[in-house]
Amino acid sequence: MYNRVAVIGGPGSGKTTLSDKLSKLWNIPVTHIDGIHHLPNWQIRDKDERDAMILDIVKNEKWIIDGNYKATLQKRLEAADLVIWLDYPTRTMIKGILKRYLSHPGKEKAEIPGCNEKMDFTFFFYTLNYRKNKRPFAANLVKQLDPSKVIIFNKQKDLNKWLRNEEKKYEHSWFSRKIPRRKNR
């Protein structure tokens, strides 16, 4: 069983969705770093304050934290007993951000209270260049970790298969069984 899980990957890779699913499955609180970084109306929190908040969470006994923010990434990865890296190709990330935007245009993002879903050229080009500009930093850190605590997914279908297997492990456990109700007579 895992207690501290770091989920990393590019924009649109599904970090938030996966983290939410694992939180429910494993009964571990989840923190979306974007929700710490952004204040309402897409205002940016002070970086020192943001990093201190993240590192306070890392001290907890149980957590799932998703996000890539470089300043705290190494400490999060080292503290995690499982690192899940959604290392998808650029086309998959672009498809992910477009799908997210088109399915929720203008709606508040649950993981970032006070911020509505949006798409702009800056974010699009950030995603387009993520593998070239941002991925190498994460790759270097992941290489330094014990490989037994790292799972790298290069395809969504491989993640889905792994997730189904995790769900099967827990569907037969004692805490997931429902006690049959007696029928009123």
Side-chain angles (χ1 to χ4, degrees):
M1 180 62 177
Y2 306 107
N3 292 313
R4 296 175 172 178
V5 182
V7 178
I8 62 172
S13 61
K15 296 180 300 292
T16 298
T17 302
L18 174 61
S19 297
D20 288 342
K21 286 180 181 180
L22 293 177
S23 175
K24 289 176 186 168
L25 182 65
W26 294 339
N27 195 28
I28 298 174
V30 64
T31 299
H32 307 290
I33 294 180
D34 281 345
I36 294 174
H37 179 71
H38 294 285
L39 298 166
N41 297 313
W42 295 103
Q43 297 300 307
I44 304 296
R45 184 181 304 275
D46 173 76
K47 289 180 182 183
D48 292 334
E49 180 184 0
R50 176 201 68 200
D51 295 345
M53 291 171 72
I54 294 167
L55 294 176
D56 278 346
I57 295 165
V58 169
K59 293 175 190 174
N60 293 337
E61 187 177 314
K62 289 185 168 198
W63 47 260
I64 297 173
I65 301 175
D66 75 46
N68 299 308
Y69 293 79
K70 289 171 71 171
T72 61
L73 185 58
Q74 182 170 1
K75 289 181 181 176
R76 284 183 282 127
L77 297 182
E78 289 171 352
D81 45 41
L82 176 64
V83 174
I84 299 174
W85 186 10
L86 305 179
D87 190 25
Y88 296 155
T90 300
R91 70 182 175 279
T92 301
M93 293 185 293
I94 294 294
K95 181 180 170 184
I97 64 168
L98 291 174
K99 181 181 174 184
R100 181 174 65 209
Y101 175 73
L102 293 173
S103 63
H104 308 323
K107 292 184 182 172
E108 184 175 84
K109 295 176 69 72
E111 72 277 13
I112 312 175
C115 295
N116 295 339
E117 189 67 61
K118 67 177 186 169
M119 174 65 66
D120 59 30
F121 285 111
T122 302
F123 183 62
F124 183 83
F125 285 110
Y126 173 86
T127 304
L128 194 61
N129 292 301
Y130 172 82
R131 290 189 62 82
K132 179 177 68 172
N133 296 337
K134 301 293 182 179
R135 182 188 178 279
F137 181 79
N140 185 49
L141 293 178
V142 169
K143 280 184 205 175
Q144 297 172 36
L145 299 173
D146 177 351
S148 69
K149 77 175 200 174
V150 177
I151 303 174
I152 301 172
F153 293 103
N154 303 113
K155 297 177 186 173
Q156 180 70 45
K157 71 177 188 174
D158 294 337
L159 170 63
N160 292 343
K161 181 179 178 181
W162 176 83
L163 193 54
R164 280 191 304 274
N165 288 333
E166 284 300 303
E167 289 168 344
K168 285 178 185 176
K169 288 180 192 177
Y170 289 90
E171 72 184 16
H172 298 295
S173 66
W174 68 271
F175 57 83
S176 68
R177 292 188 190 141
K178 292 184 178 178
I179 299 171
R181 291 181 133 174
R182 292 179 76 180
K183 290 184 181 180
N184 293 335
R185 293 185 183 184

